[in-house]
């Protein structure tokens, strides 16, 4: 019988879907099974994740896509992330006596969400270029059904609600939607979102543009205004997703592909290119050396990232020189790896996000990230639409002259960056992870393990990981490693000068990663993270 198979790793002749929630993976595999392509399956996955993983992404968030027809020369990037509203500026917050943009509440709902616009742009691309024949409403149907009929609450959402429910319950509309009866629903309880279902039904009937124009946009703008936001219906109406040229750099015998500013894609590429130059493939992927070298390279890459990455519409943002062989060669020659370098200034290592990947039976792939930024974003539900708004705008600076200073119409710096890997001009792998500053580090771990150390996709994703960054209450960045590493790794890292601490064996702090791949024999495979509630589904 032709049924969807869900596991943490799977392979097939017809494609594969990796997602951090099993219901989303199922929805994508169902589209593939019925003849849909990777983009169409991706839209189904994206919309279902917006329903079943609302603490990490949603209709009120942003998205970035890499789209491949299999030929590495034809990869397209799609930046579906909105700008600050026309009434927002750094001066506005400074005049109110604020030194930083608040993480929660109506005033922090300051950027236009791009995710739904991205779905629409990807759908049109599929129709025009890949002969996609699935209807728009069919692709949103699973998401609508899960919102209307309900689904069992996942462990990750329940834990996140328990942690942040008290902080968020006073935000407009939050408790009514996410804390039924005023309590955190237990794991496995059937949970419905009827207002969100109505919004999804409206979008299914009227298309992606209905999110930005007409009665739904008017309704959301009215709800946001009541919550204290300065975003307007006119801000929504002017949004357009953008097709962008991806960034590339050599890695081993292949190349890695990522997205340009305002994402941190260049940092992910720099780290991998410098690791390749360092030559660590003969060592132990569970040894301290891989962690130490990656962290030291990450410090350098983040220094350039924080100096140069911003919205290119608002200044000369040229990161191409960072990926030239001569510059990378000079970087690695100038680095000293005997002891840990002092930590550079860093923001919070935050970013609750979803990555998913799809490969179809013809080898076409999508690598996609969606996000609300922090857990549940602003915490503000836009009126009675069920749409939870992102707080990506708190990534802006209020400092005059800062490269990412808040200005009307400007897009903030994004940690979001999905990735692809290609060899001999054929795209082989889609991979990525949630995790803010952790995304480039996790991408490095995944690809190094898969291509340098020869691990399977499942081993590459599930093996112990590390994360260098700063979290709540910390004055400086530290290094965390999962407790599955040997004690000697912890000791070596400390001896080399790292401020290192343990986290649980399978820690959410390390992000939820995934991979999908096509091999030379025409087999398709995927792996999902045991740290998530997800899996791999094959048609």
């Amino acid at each position: 019988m032709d049924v969807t198979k869900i596991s943490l790793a799977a392979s097939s002749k017809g494609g594969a879907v990796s997602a951090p929630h099993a219901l989303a993976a199922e929805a994508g595999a169902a589209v593939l099974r019925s003849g849909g392509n990777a983009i169409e399956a991706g839209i189904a996955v994206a919309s279902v994740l917006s329903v079943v993983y609302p603490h990490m992404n949603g209709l009120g968030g942003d998205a970035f896509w890499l789209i491949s027809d299999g030929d590495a020369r034809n990869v397209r990037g799609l930046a579906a992330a909105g700008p600050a509203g026309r009434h927002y500026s750094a001066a506005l917050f400074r005049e109110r006596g604020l030194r930083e943009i608040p993480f929660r509440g109506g005033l922090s709902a300051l950027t236009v969400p791009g995710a739904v616009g991205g779905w629409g742009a990807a759908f049109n691309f599929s129709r025009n270029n890949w002969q996609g024949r699935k209807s728009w409403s069919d692709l949103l149907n699973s998401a609508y059904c899960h919102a209307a009929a309900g689904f069992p609450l996942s462990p990750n959402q329940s834990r996140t609600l328990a942690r942040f429910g008290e902080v968020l319950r006073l935000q407009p509309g939050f408790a009514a939607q996410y804390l039924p009866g005023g309590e955190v629903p237990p794991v496995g309880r059937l949970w419905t979102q009827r207002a969100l279902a109505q919004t999804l039904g409206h979008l299914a009937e009227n298309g992606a543009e209905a999110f930005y124009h007409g009665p739904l946009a008017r309704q959301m703008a009215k709800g946001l205004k009541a919550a204290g936001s300065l975003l307007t219906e006119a801000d929504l109406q002017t949004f357009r997703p953008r097709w962008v040229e991806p960034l590339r750099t050599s890695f081993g015998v292949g190349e890695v592909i990522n997205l340009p500013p305002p994402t941190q894609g260049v940092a992910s590429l720099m780290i991998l290119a410098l690791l390749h130059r360092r030559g660590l493939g003969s060592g132990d992927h569970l040894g301290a050396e891989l962690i130490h070298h990656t962290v030291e390279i990450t410090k350098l890459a983040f220094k350039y990232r924080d100096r140069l990455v911003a919205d290119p519409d608002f200044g000369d943002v040229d990161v191409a020189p960072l990926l030239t062989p001569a510059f990378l060669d000079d970087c690695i020659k100038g680095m000293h790896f005997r002891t840990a370098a002092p930590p550079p200034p860093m923001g919070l290592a935050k970013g609750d996000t979803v990555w998913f990947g799809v490969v179809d039976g013809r080898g076409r792939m999508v690598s996609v990230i969606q996000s609300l930024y922090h857990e549940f974003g602003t915490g503000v539900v836009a009126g009675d639409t069920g749409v939870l708004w992102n707080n990506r705008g708190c990534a802006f600076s209020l400092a005059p002259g800062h490269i990412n200073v808040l200005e009307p119409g400007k897009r903030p710096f994004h940690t979001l960056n999905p990735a692809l890997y290609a060899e001999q001009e054929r795209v082989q792998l889609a991979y990525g992870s949630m995790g803010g500053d952790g995304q480039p580090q996790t991408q490095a771990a995944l690809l190094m393990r898969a291509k340098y150390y020869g691990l399977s996709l499942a081993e590459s994703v599930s093996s112990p990981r590390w994360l260098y960054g700063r979290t709540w209450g910390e004055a400086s960045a530290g290094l965390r490693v999962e407790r599955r590493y040997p004690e000697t790794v912890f000791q070596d890292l400390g001896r080399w000068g790292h401020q290192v601490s343990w986290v649980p064996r399978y820690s959410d702090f390390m992000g939820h990663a995934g991979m999908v791949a096509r091999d030379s024999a025409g087999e398709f495979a995927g792996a999902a993270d045991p740290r998530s509630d997800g899996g791999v589904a094959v048609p």
Side-chain angles (χ1 to χ4, degrees):
M1 185 170 63
D2 189 18
V3 296
T4 300
K5 302 172 186 176
I6 292 285
S7 64
L8 289 177
S11 61
S12 79
K13 293 290 186 180
V17 182
S18 174
H21 196 290
L23 292 177
E26 287 177 356
V31 171
L32 294 181
R33 191 184 317 119
S34 63
N37 61 45
I39 291 175
E40 293 169 326
I43 293 168
V45 175
S47 58
V48 170
L49 282 172
S50 296
V51 174
V52 301
Y53 241 38
H55 51 307
M56 294 191 176
N57 80 130
L59 303 186
D62 293 317
F64 290 88
W65 293 60
L66 283 176
I67 296 173
S68 165
D69 64 3
D71 187 333
R73 297 166 295 184
N74 297 334
V75 176
R76 301 291 303 274
L78 179 58
R86 65 193 64 192
H87 297 301
Y88 277 100
S89 67
L92 170 80
F93 288 93
R94 292 198 301 266
E95 288 165 1
R96 299 184 181 208
L98 297 173
R99 300 182 64 182
E100 62 180 19
I101 297 167
F103 294 156
R104 311 292 191 183
L107 198 60
S108 65
L110 64 89
T111 62
V112 176
V116 176
W119 304 348
F123 178 78
N124 291 334
F125 182 88
S126 168
R127 287 241 151 179
N128 295 333
N129 298 276
W130 288 9
Q131 293 74 52
R133 292 295 175 261
K134 290 293 180 183
S135 72
W136 170 256
S137 59
D138 280 351
L139 298 180
L140 267 59
N141 184 62
S142 290
Y144 170 81
C145 290
H146 289 310
F151 62 92
L153 198 77
S154 72
N156 198 274
Q157 182 179 340
S158 185
R159 287 196 302 270
T160 307
L161 274 170
R163 183 179 177 191
F164 293 97
E166 288 305 311
V167 173
L168 293 168
R169 69 169 60 245
L170 296 180
Q171 297 302 333
F174 185 87
Q177 182 152 307
Y178 298 103
L179 299 170
E183 303 295 332
V184 174
V187 174
R189 174 171 293 178
L190 195 68
W191 183 61
T192 60
Q193 301 168 84
R194 292 185 175 85
L196 185 60
Q198 187 173 356
T199 292
L200 284 163
H202 179 77
L203 293 174
E205 183 177 348
N206 297 285
E209 280 297 302
F211 189 86
Y212 303 95
H213 301 268
L216 175 59
R218 198 170 306 121
Q219 196 177 359
M220 291 190 298
K222 181 180 178 181
L224 290 172
K225 182 178 180 180
S229 174
L230 304 181
L231 276 181
T232 67
E233 186 180 353
D235 292 322
L236 295 171
Q237 290 171 346
T238 57
F239 173 73
R240 300 290 185 277
R242 303 185 186 197
W243 293 101
V244 297
E245 184 65 28
L247 299 175
R248 302 164 183 265
T249 194
S250 297
F251 177 76
V253 297
E255 69 171 348
V256 278
I257 305 169
N258 212 303
L259 285 168
T263 82
Q264 66 171 337
V266 66
S268 295
L269 297 186
M270 284 185 70
I271 291 168
L272 282 164
L274 292 171
L275 281 171
H276 165 61
R277 282 162 170 78
R278 188 60 183 165
L280 298 172
S282 61
D284 180 4
H285 82 98
L286 293 178
E289 290 82 3
L290 177 60
I291 300 174
H292 172 64
H293 285 77
T294 307
V295 168
E296 295 310 292
I297 287 169
T298 295
K299 292 174 184 177
L300 177 69
F302 282 3
K303 180 181 75 171
Y304 287 105
R305 178 200 70 177
D306 294 344
R307 185 185 302 168
L308 295 174
V309 175
D311 187 343
D313 291 348
F314 284 75
D316 183 15
V317 178
D318 183 11
V319 298
L322 302 181
L323 299 176
T324 61
F327 178 81
L328 293 166
D329 290 344
D330 286 345
C331 283
I332 205 69
K333 289 174 185 174
M335 296 189 72
H336 303 283
F337 290 97
R338 292 178 182 173
T339 59
M346 292 184 70
L348 293 175
K350 290 293 299 173
D352 282 319
T353 300
V354 293
W355 176 89
F356 67 86
V358 181
V359 58
D360 65 27
R362 292 177 57 179
R364 298 171 295 195
M365 289 189 195
V366 297
S367 182
V368 187
I369 281 188
Q370 295 188 156
S371 179
L372 292 169
Y373 200 26
H374 292 181
E375 302 88 348
F376 294 103
T378 61
V380 173
V381 178
D384 55 1
T385 66
V387 176
L388 184 67
W389 219 260
N390 75 87
N391 67 343
R392 181 60 61 175
C394 68
F396 280 119
S397 172
L398 298 182
H402 191 283
I403 190 171
N404 277 298
V405 67
L406 172 59
E407 299 179 62
K410 187 176 185 178
R411 291 174 296 169
F413 164 79
H414 278 269
T415 53
L416 309 179
N417 69 116
L420 296 171
Y421 171 79
E423 282 183 16
Q424 299 178 335
E425 298 184 343
R426 302 299 299 175
V427 173
Q428 288 191 348
L429 279 170
Y431 62 100
S433 176
M434 59 170 269
D437 282 341
Q439 287 184 37
Q441 300 173 66
T442 298
Q443 286 187 20
L446 296 176
L447 202 58
M448 286 291 290
R449 283 168 168 160
K451 302 308 296 185
Y452 264 54
Y453 295 99
L455 273 62
S456 69
L457 298 188
E459 292 169 327
S460 299
V461 171
S462 63
S463 291
R465 293 204 292 267
W466 70 90
L467 191 145
Y468 172 75
R470 183 171 72 88
T471 191
W472 305 109
E474 293 181 332
S476 62
L479 174 61
R480 290 161 179 79
V481 294
E482 288 184 312
R483 275 212 171 263
R484 287 179 291 146
Y485 275 104
E487 184 73 32
T488 53
V489 168
F490 189 96
Q491 294 169 355
D492 286 342
L493 292 169
R495 189 174 72 253
W496 296 338
H498 293 283
Q499 181 185 324
V500 61
S501 59
W502 290 115
V503 294
R505 291 170 54 82
Y506 290 90
S507 173
D508 278 344
F509 196 76
M510 298 298 150
H512 299 164
M515 305 177 85
V516 296
R518 176 185 183 174
D519 66 21
S520 57
E523 188 89 358
F524 304 101
D529 205 320
R531 302 164 184 84
S532 74
D533 300 315
V536 175
V538 296

